[in-house]
């Protein structure tokens, strides 16, 4: 009678042995590697305990010494700076008063000496009458009034403060949101293809107030709309194979919905044009531009990233018969603060600051309105997978509190970065052992703050629900 083969493949050595399951990762290990796996887990636990002890020590230090908090130090520095400004202003005013009084008293003294000489002369000559006495009296009154009259110099207090005022803001929405790590596939769960329930390299998404999803389906050369909870999408632009006719697209990378005309504005990447698509009509807005990302601000200005000219240009809505105004970059390829290297997706905030995925520099830049150069708000420490690094970032959005979210494409993760911080944090993804995300490109939030991610090489749109 043949013996029953109860051996399975060890996850580590990939050899057929008697194995033991790990309930945590659901993998099978041989005895040697099961012991090794437990040792690794034990080391990880010890690391967490060490981190806990360090955190406990840090919180104890801050609790016992609140005056050492960074905010207290900032307030103290503001106080010192303000006192110094006040002292400098007071000394300047004192100097003006001293110089004025010196001249003023000299003039009074000269008039008094002159009057004294006249009195002496009259007294010596012993020839005077009521007219002379009246004159001397009036002169003395005039000098006395001039001495007592300070109206020619006085202190004026300006209501416009020359000291920067500070206040403490306690944000009502300071909590950092978290999302479930197991996503729901909301579009394209049927894999790669060109059917209406499939994608071929989705690139960019937009979600309206009804949770309808608009997708730039790159390699199918079309824009698709998926109604909320639908099983398939409907083509609303392109879909007539690749080409440069007015009814065709060639690898659209980005699109936005124009709220004024309810039309779709598309970055028609290979055709080097920005095209406006309406139900029955199409119109080329901008020609001969190596367009990649699009954005529109609250004033209706259209922003386009030009990945070959390494800049972002802006057009006033309806005035596209010019080359636009360069608002970011445009100083050649490079990694200086006034340069970009293949800019990708863009985002414009309420202040018309422009955020750019500076792909080949592995960073996200922020250019304030009318600035000559930008600042690095994420990455900028070379390509890598550390928390202070990015690898070919793509989609970028900024929430109302200025927190920056980006698709860290080649690291297969979504990152959140707060401006001024030295490193970011992983929001979702970053799990290289699975297929949770595979080259994420675009991202978006709905009105409930659920996170939607374009899972490019998995040809699907994933929804990560917010943890309330």
């Amino acid at each position: 009678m043949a013996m029953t083969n109860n051996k399975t493949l060890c996850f580590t050595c990939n050899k057929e042995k008697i194995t033991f399951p790990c309930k945590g990762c659901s993998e099978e290990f041989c005895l040697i590697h099961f012991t090794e796996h437990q040792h690794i887990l034990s080391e990880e636990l010890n690391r967490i305990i060490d981190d806990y002890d360090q955190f406990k020590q840090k919180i104890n230090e801050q609790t016992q010494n609140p005056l050492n908090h960074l905010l207290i130090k900032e307030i103290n520095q503001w106080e010192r700076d303000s006192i110094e400004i006040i002292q400098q202003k007071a000394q300047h005013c004192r100097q003006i008063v001293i110089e004025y009084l010196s001249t003023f008293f000299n003039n009074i003294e000269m008039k008094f000496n002159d009057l004294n000489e006249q009195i002496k002369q009259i007294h010596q000559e012993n020839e005077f009458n009521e007219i002379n006495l009246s004159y001397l009296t009036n002169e003395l009154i005039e000098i006395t009034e001039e001495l007592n009259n300070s109206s020619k110099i006085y202190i004026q207090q300006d209501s416009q403060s020359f000291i920067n005022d500070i206040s403490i803001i306690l944000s009502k929405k300071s909590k950092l949101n978290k999302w479930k790590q197991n996503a729901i596939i909301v579009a394209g769960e049927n894999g790669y293809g060109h059917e209406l329930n499939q994608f071929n390299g989705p690139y960019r998404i937009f979600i309206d107030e009804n949770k309808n999803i608009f997708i730039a389906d790159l390699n199918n050369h079309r824009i698709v709309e998926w109604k909320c909870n639908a099983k398939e999408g409907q083509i609303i632009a392109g879909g007539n194979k690749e080409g440069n006719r007015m009814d065709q697209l060639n690898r659209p990378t980005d699109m936005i919905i124009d709220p004024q005309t309810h039309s779709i504005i598309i970055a028609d990447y290979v055709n080097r044009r920005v095209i406006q698509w309406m139900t029955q009509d199409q119109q080329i807005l901008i020609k001969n531009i190596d367009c990649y990302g699009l954005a529109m601000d609250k004033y209706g200005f259209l922003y386009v990233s030009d990945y070959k000219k390494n800049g972002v240009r802006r057009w006033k809505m309806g005035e596209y018969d010019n080359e636009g105004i360069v608002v970011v970059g445009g100083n050649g390829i490079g990694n200086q603060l006034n340069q970009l290297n293949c800019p990708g997706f863009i985002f414009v905030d309420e202040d018309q600051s422009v955020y750019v995925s500076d792909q080949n520099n592995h960073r996200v830049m922020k250019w304030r309105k009318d600035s000559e150069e930008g600042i690095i708000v994420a990455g900028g420490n070379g390509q890598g997978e550390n928390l202070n690094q990015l690898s070919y970032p793509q989609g970028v959005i900024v929430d109302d509190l200025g927190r920056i979210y980006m698709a860290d494409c080649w690291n297969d993760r979504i990152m959140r970065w707060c401006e001024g911080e030295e490193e970011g944090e992983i929001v979702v993804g970053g799990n290289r052992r699975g297929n949770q995300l595979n080259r994420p490109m675009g991202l978006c939030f709905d009105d409930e703050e659920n996170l939607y991610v374009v899972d490019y090489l998995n040809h699907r749109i994933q929804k990560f629900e917010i943890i309330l």
Side-chain angles (χ1 to χ4, degrees):
M1 184 175 65
M3 293 180 63
T4 302
N5 185 4
N6 60 351
K7 297 182 179 181
T8 56
L9 290 178
C10 171
F11 179 78
T12 302
C13 64
N14 204 29
K15 293 181 180 179
E16 198 171 71
K17 296 182 179 181
I18 296 175
T19 59
F20 302 86
C22 174
K23 293 183 179 180
C25 64
S26 302
E27 301 291 356
E28 299 278 342
F29 299 90
C30 67
L31 180 58
I32 293 174
H33 292 113
F34 184 74
T35 303
E36 181 183 285
H37 183 63
Q38 286 184 316
H39 179 69
I40 293 172
L41 294 178
S42 178
E43 288 183 341
E44 180 68 15
L45 177 60
N46 289 333
R47 186 188 66 78
I48 294 173
I49 292 173
D50 290 340
D51 290 344
Y52 168 81
D53 291 339
Q54 291 178 14
F55 176 80
K56 185 177 180 180
Q57 181 181 353
K58 185 175 181 181
I59 197 68
N60 287 339
E61 289 174 354
Q62 294 191 8
T63 303
Q64 295 171 5
N65 301 294
L67 292 179
N68 289 333
H69 195 279
L70 287 176
L71 286 176
I72 298 296
K73 291 180 179 179
E74 284 188 35
I75 293 171
N76 293 341
Q77 186 61 49
W78 170 83
E79 181 183 32
R80 289 191 294 270
D81 293 343
S82 298
I83 290 173
E84 184 178 350
I85 292 172
I86 292 171
Q87 289 174 335
Q88 291 174 354
K89 185 69 174 179
Q91 183 58 31
H92 177 68
C93 291
R94 288 191 198 99
Q95 192 63 36
I96 294 174
V97 172
I98 289 171
E99 291 177 359
Y100 170 81
L101 290 178
S102 176
T103 303
F104 175 76
F105 287 131
N106 285 338
N107 291 335
I108 293 292
E109 191 172 5
M110 289 174 60
K111 291 181 180 180
F112 178 77
N113 290 337
D114 182 59
L115 180 60
N116 186 45
E117 289 297 324
Q118 293 183 55
I119 293 173
K120 285 181 180 181
Q121 183 177 355
I122 292 174
H123 189 267
Q124 289 174 357
E125 293 176 354
N126 201 23
E127 290 184 3
F128 54 90
N129 52 35
E130 290 84 358
I131 296 175
N132 300 122
L133 294 177
S134 176
Y135 167 78
L136 294 174
T137 302
N138 290 335
E139 284 293 304
L140 184 59
I141 291 172
E142 185 176 325
I143 294 174
T144 303
E145 288 180 351
E146 186 174 352
L147 177 63
N148 295 330
N149 186 5
S150 59
S151 62
K152 291 184 179 180
I153 182 170
Y154 59 94
I155 293 176
Q156 175 178 292
Q157 296 192 31
D158 194 349
S159 60
Q160 184 70 32
S161 175
F162 66 95
I163 298 172
N164 292 329
D165 192 14
I166 65 168
S167 56
I168 304 301
I169 305 299
L170 298 176
S171 175
K172 296 180 181 178
K173 191 181 177 184
S174 59
K175 186 184 77 169
L176 292 174
N177 293 334
K178 294 183 180 296
W179 291 266
K180 296 179 181 178
Q181 297 301 298
N182 295 320
I184 301 170
I185 301 174
V186 293
E189 60 183 331
N190 298 291
Y192 157 84
H194 61 271
E195 301 297 331
L196 290 178
N197 62 355
Q198 295 176 310
F199 296 117
N200 184 358
Y203 227 67
R204 179 79 156 127
I205 56 171
F206 170 80
I207 299 176
D208 66 14
E209 63 275 8
N210 297 317
K211 293 186 175 60
N212 300 320
I213 309 172
F214 299 81
I215 306 106
D217 192 4
L218 184 80
N219 296 319
N220 279 329
H221 317 289
R222 65 190 185 186
I223 307 296
V224 181
E225 178 185 2
W226 281 62
K227 298 291 186 181
C228 184
N229 298 322
K231 296 299 182 182
E232 64 179 29
Q234 61 185 46
I235 300 170
I236 57 175
N240 299 305
K241 297 183 179 181
E242 63 183 285
N244 59 7
R245 297 197 315 260
M246 291 297 291
D247 65 341
Q248 292 178 309
L249 299 171
N250 197 337
R251 288 179 172 77
T253 53
D254 202 356
M255 80 314 179
I256 55 176
I257 309 299
D258 180 4
Q260 300 291 331
T261 62
H262 303 289
S263 62
I264 306 170
I265 299 175
I266 305 166
D268 197 4
Y269 177 75
V270 176
N271 285 328
R272 302 183 66 247
R273 65 188 184 185
V274 176
I275 187 169
Q276 185 179 41
W277 204 287
M278 298 185 181
T279 305
Q280 301 293 335
D281 189 28
Q282 295 84 43
Q283 176 186 3
I284 297 175
L285 301 181
I286 306 169
K287 300 178 181 179
N288 301 319
I289 181 170
D290 295 293
C291 51
Y292 193 105
L294 301 175
M296 184 178 290
D297 66 20
K298 63 181 180 181
Y299 302 106
F301 287 96
L302 178 65
Y303 299 73
V304 184
S305 65
D306 189 326
Y307 71 93
K308 282 192 176 179
K309 291 186 177 179
N310 293 290
V312 177
R313 285 185 276 166
R314 183 183 69 197
W315 281 265
K316 187 175 182 180
M317 185 60 68
E319 298 180 5
Y320 301 111
D321 55 347
N322 54 67
E323 294 186 353
I325 299 172
V326 177
V327 293
V328 173
N331 298 299
I333 188 171
N335 61 5
Q336 301 300 310
L337 292 180
N338 67 344
Q339 294 179 309
L340 301 171
N341 189 347
C342 195
F345 292 118
I346 53 179
F347 180 91
V348 182
D349 68 12
E350 290 290 310
D351 300 322
Q352 292 181 293
S353 294
V354 182
Y355 296 77
V356 187
S357 290
D358 193 6
Q359 297 180 75
N360 292 350
N361 281 326
H362 312 290
R363 66 189 185 185
V364 175
M365 300 289 291
K366 175 184 178 180
W367 286 60
R368 292 187 173 87
K369 184 182 178 183
D370 300 326
S371 295
E372 296 295 327
E373 62 181 29
I375 59 174
I376 300 171
V377 292
N381 297 298
Q383 182 182 9
E385 59 183 16
N386 295 324
L387 292 180
N388 67 341
Q389 294 178 305
L390 300 172
S391 184
Y392 297 103
Q394 293 293 331
V396 56
I397 54 178
V398 182
D399 67 14
D400 293 339
L401 297 177
R403 298 179 296 212
I404 307 144
Y405 296 80
M406 70 222 61
D408 189 9
C409 184
W410 282 34
N411 282 327
D412 303 314
R413 64 193 185 186
I414 304 300
M415 298 284 290
R416 172 170 55 205
W417 216 292
C418 297
E419 186 175 333
E421 296 291 333
E422 294 183 356
E423 62 181 33
E425 61 176 320
I426 300 172
V427 173
V428 296
N431 180 9
R432 295 187 176 279
R433 291 182 59 186
N435 66 343
Q436 186 179 20
L437 292 175
N438 195 348
R439 297 293 186 264
M441 297 299 294
L443 68 162
C444 192
F445 291 108
D446 63 19
D447 56 2
E448 296 176 350
E449 296 185 309
N450 298 306
L451 173 62
Y452 296 73
V453 180
V454 179
D455 198 0
Y456 176 65
L457 289 185
N458 283 326
H459 309 287
R460 63 191 183 185
I461 310 300
Q462 297 214 62
K463 174 185 176 182
F464 295 87
E465 294 182 317
I466 189 169
I467 299 174
L468 300 175

